[in-house]
Amino acid sequence: MRLILFMITLQLTAILAGCAARPHASSDEKPVLDDTPILATNHPLLPEEPPPAEAARVFRTDFSRHTVPYAEILSGGPSKDDIPSIDTPRFVPVADADRWLRPNEPVILLDIDNDVRAYPVRIIIWHELVNDMVGGRPVLISFCPLCNTAIAFDRRVGNHVLDFGTTGYLHYSNLIMYDRQTENWWQQATGEAIAGKYAGALLSPIATRIVPWSHLRETYPEAKVLSGATGHTRDYGRNPYAGYDDISATPFLYHGPATPSAFPPMEHVLGLSVRNGLVAYPYSVLARKHVVNDTIDGVPVVIFWQPGMTSGLNGSEISGGDDIGSAAAFESKFDGRVLRFAVENGEIVDDLTGNVWNGYGISVSKPSPGKHLAPLNGINAFWFVWSAFHPNARVYTGH
């Protein structure tokens, strides 16, 4: 019954989204692109095969070039741009947003050159993509509700600035995006172009975090907060995926490798990619330890976990779900020295300087108040999707 209600909700969401005017109409003229070198995966192009029939009709993508089998790609229900991206985002001050955001609500934090932006999950859950400019950089803020993955990317590929929309298709239950300039298809979980001229290319990720509103407003009072004045009529604050975040549930429209049994498929994990190392840190372990010191491919790292944030995908309201806490990762270096962190008397302290640190990697005491640890691009995700896209990743068990 819960799954049936969930599917109906998805269909209603698609219908509601489809009633809005689509901001971008496709052109029949394909843009001419240069051959500027771009980041690339090691994934080879696969033999040519027919793409999903409806996709071939709707998209101008060069489907002859692809890195994943089309048989693994499923329709999520909505069609192209039925879930509308936010392309002209508006922002309000923290004081204004505090009138409608609840303390325990999840918000996506992005800080580029001290240009701090907050993207409330209550808004982005209805749109999934925000094309924005932050710190002078063209960025994409993406959120896949079915995977709980909030990831930011640089929108530049070679000499081109791209803007992105939703395809309505899923791979391993994860959002497939497309860029409106070339209509390449991009995997949200990895930033890889999986179909089109750029197949095998990678978008550059930008470190971002999901944090509770109460912590963000206290730590970054000058932040700009995405406004609910999006130009679309949505019930912001309501969770259209109520009940999805259930540790005993199975993921929706997931046709992929069997999920390793180390943890339930819907376990929350923080995934880290550092150099050539990949590690998943389960929230159930982080909640016991609060601080984890580790090394990934020779890089010393620390993960801080703190309570006070709902998942956003559990209750009928974004702020009404279970408290899963929030986790963030940093390089554990300070002034050229490697620090080890521990919780003492309820505070995070390091073993060399005696500083007290908050969950954002900021020193809040003498001798070095206001100093920052370098953030790492930790990806919050459900275990099933992290393990599907990173099957060889190490799993931190706390032992």
Side-chain angles (χ1 to χ4, degrees):
M1 177 62 69
R2 184 181 62 82
L3 180 57
I4 293 173
L5 291 174
F6 174 62
M7 293 177 69
I8 292 173
T9 300
L10 281 182
Q11 292 169 350
L12 290 174
T13 301
I15 293 171
L16 179 61
C19 292
R22 295 180 183 177
H24 293 268
S26 295
S27 168
D28 292 333
E29 181 181 354
K30 292 187 179 181
V32 177
L33 301 179
D34 60 26
D35 294 319
T36 306
I38 51 181
L39 295 174
T41 67
N42 294 321
H43 296 166
L45 292 177
L46 299 181
E48 187 170 348
E49 61 178 294
E54 179 67 11
R57 185 183 69 82
V58 173
F59 289 89
R60 296 179 291 109
T61 311
D62 179 1
F63 286 111
S64 67
R65 296 172 55 83
H66 61 110
T67 60
V68 302
Y70 289 127
E72 295 180 356
I73 293 176
L74 302 176
S75 171
S79 188
K80 180 183 183 183
D81 286 325
D82 276 351
I83 299 175
S85 61
I86 299 176
D87 301 317
T88 55
R90 300 178 181 179
F91 294 86
V92 298
V94 165
D96 288 355
D98 203 32
R99 298 171 185 167
W100 43 271
L101 284 172
R102 303 293 179 262
N104 62 350
E105 280 193 43
V107 294
I108 301 168
L109 167 66
L110 184 62
D111 180 359
I112 300 179
D113 294 335
N114 295 318
D115 185 356
V116 181
R117 306 291 178 97
Y119 303 86
V121 167
R122 67 159 55 205
I123 297 174
I124 200 170
I125 197 171
W126 293 92
H127 299 278
E128 302 188 0
L129 303 175
V130 180
N131 293 287
D132 203 357
M133 292 286 296
V134 181
R137 293 175 65 180
V139 300
L140 172 69
I141 297 85
S142 65
F143 180 68
C144 177
L146 297 181
C147 300
N148 197 44
T149 43
I151 310 174
F153 300 100
D154 193 308
R155 291 193 285 123
R156 293 172 292 189
V157 176
N159 291 331
H160 303 277
V161 176
L162 308 178
D163 65 289
F164 291 81
T166 58
T167 64
Y169 287 88
L170 304 169
H171 180 220
Y172 295 166
S173 197
N174 182 247
L175 162 68
I176 297 176
M177 317 176 292
Y178 80 100
D179 71 80
R180 296 190 175 105
Q181 283 67 34
T182 70
E183 300 213 348
N184 282 262
W185 282 20
W186 303 82
Q187 190 75 61
Q188 187 258 358
T190 61
E192 179 186 354
I194 61 173
K197 173 184 172 66
Y198 285 146
L202 284 172
L203 297 172
S204 297
I206 304 171
T208 190
R209 288 163 276 172
I210 302 183
V211 300
W213 169 244
S214 61
H215 294 178
L216 187 142
R217 72 185 179 192
E218 294 167 7
T219 307
Y220 300 98
E222 302 302 319
K224 301 172 185 175
V225 185
L226 180 67
S227 167
T230 62
H232 301 275
T233 302
R234 299 292 185 274
D235 190 3
Y236 297 129
R238 183 175 69 83
N239 173 21
Y241 302 87
Y244 185 63
D245 185 359
D246 182 343
I247 196 69
S248 63
T250 54
F252 183 66
L253 288 179
Y254 176 73
H255 289 189
T259 302
S261 60
F263 300 97
M266 303 300 283
E267 166 81 39
H268 289 266
V269 302
L270 181 72
L272 285 184
S273 174
V274 180
R275 293 181 179 171
N276 293 316
L278 291 163
V279 186
Y281 298 87
Y283 267 49
S284 57
V285 176
L286 295 177
R288 293 200 311 267
K289 301 181 76 68
H290 285 241
V291 172
V292 169
N293 298 282
D294 202 1
T295 302
I296 303 177
D297 197 16
V299 177
V301 304
V302 62
I303 297 91
F304 298 147
W305 180 93
Q306 52 191 337
M309 187 184 80
T310 66
S311 74
L313 292 168
N314 185 266
S316 59
E317 300 292 323
I318 296 295
S319 60
D322 297 333
D323 186 342
I324 64 166
S326 61
F330 307 88
E331 285 195 45
S332 52
K333 279 188 175 182
F334 181 79
D335 288 344
R337 296 177 295 176
V338 176
L339 307 181
R340 289 189 64 81
F341 297 83
V343 177
E344 297 181 3
N345 300 319
E347 295 181 325
I348 301 171
V349 297
D350 70 78
D351 62 346
L352 291 181
T353 72
N355 282 297
V356 176
W357 303 79
N358 66 16
Y360 295 88
I362 304 172
S363 172
V364 294
S365 72
K366 294 181 179 180
S368 304
K371 295 292 186 179
H372 289 64
L373 299 173
L376 295 171
N377 187 34
I379 297 176
N380 289 275
F382 290 127
W383 169 234
F384 80 86
V385 70
W386 175 264
S387 62
F389 285 104
H390 307 290
N392 298 319
R394 173 165 63 93
V395 179
Y396 181 83
T397 61
H399 302 300

